[in-house]
């Protein structure tokens, strides 16, 4: 997502984010797989971006799940998995204060996406 890969939000230029993604994908492919399971619902590039936003802006998994059109569980598992790759590669994402204008854009996007029926929690009864 274009607005989400904004260097002011991620703290890095797009070329650096792309390079990080390539390096992390190589590490990810070296990890042993116990079973194949279902394919991921979030592309690997977006998994890296989701985790960068989580670590850079301190966004909780709920708004990230909405922004990336996935479940909270998937967003949480993604941050855990990609964070482990960050640690393995020695990558550190520095938390940064973000200008309120950029967070307003993200907030507006979350609100717009959250109104979609697919993101609503369905009642049990």
């Amino acid at each position: 997502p274009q607005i989400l890969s904004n260097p002011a939000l991620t703290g890095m230029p797009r070329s650096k984010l792309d390079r990080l993604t390539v390096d992390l994908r190589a590490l990810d492919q070296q990890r042993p797989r116990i079973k194949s399971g279902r394919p991921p619902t979030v592309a690997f590039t977006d998994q890296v971006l989701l985790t960068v936003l989580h670590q850079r802006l301190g966004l909780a998994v709920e708004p990230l799940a909405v922004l990336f059109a996935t479940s909270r569980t998937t967003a949480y598992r993604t941050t855990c998995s990609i964070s482990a790759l960050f640690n393995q590669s020695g990558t550190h994402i520095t938390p940064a204060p973000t200008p309120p204008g950029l967070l307003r854009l993200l907030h507006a996007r979350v609100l717009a996406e959250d109104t979609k029926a697919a993101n609503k929690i369905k009642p049990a009864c």
Side-chain angles (χ1 to χ4, degrees), residues 15-34:
S15 60
K16 188 173 178 183
L17 184 61
D18 290 343
R19 183 75 234 158
L20 175 63
T21 301
V22 168
D23 293 345
L24 294 178
R25 186 185 308 270
L27 284 174
D28 182 57
Q29 290 173 344
Q30 294 173 3
R31 291 199 281 195
R33 303 283 186 225
I34 296 172

Side-chain angles (χ1 to χ4, degrees), residues 7-78:
L9 290 175
T10 61
M12 62 182 74
R14 183 62 194 217
S15 60
K16 188 173 178 183
L17 184 61
D18 290 343
R19 183 75 234 158
L20 175 63
T21 301
V22 168
D23 293 345
L24 294 178
R25 186 185 308 270
L27 284 174
D28 182 57
Q29 290 173 344
Q30 294 173 3
R31 291 199 281 195
R33 303 283 186 225
I34 296 172
K35 56 183 178 179
S36 60
R38 294 184 315 185
T41 58
V42 179
F44 189 80
T45 304
D46 287 343
Q47 291 180 31
V48 173
L49 180 57
L50 185 151
T51 307
V52 167
L53 291 173
H54 175 69
Q55 292 187 1
R56 176 96 172 135
L57 302 177
L59 292 175
V61 294
E62 289 82 5
L64 289 169
V66 172
L67 288 169
F68 287 87
T70 191
S71 70
R72 293 176 191 140
T73 303
T74 297
Y76 174 76
R77 288 181 181 159
T78 295

Side-chain angles (χ1 to χ4, degrees), residues 56-115:
R56 176 96 172 135
L57 302 177
L59 292 175
V61 294
E62 289 82 5
L64 289 169
V66 172
L67 288 169
F68 287 87
T70 191
S71 70
R72 293 176 191 140
T73 303
T74 297
Y76 174 76
R77 288 181 181 159
T78 295
T79 60
C80 291
S81 175
I82 300 299
S83 291
L85 291 176
F86 282 175
N87 292 338
Q88 186 179 348
S89 71
T91 301
H92 177 72
I93 306 298
T94 306
T98 304
L102 292 173
L103 285 179
R104 277 196 293 276
L105 289 173
L106 278 176
H107 182 72
R109 171 107 185 243
V110 167
L111 290 176
E113 293 293 324
D114 199 34
T115 60

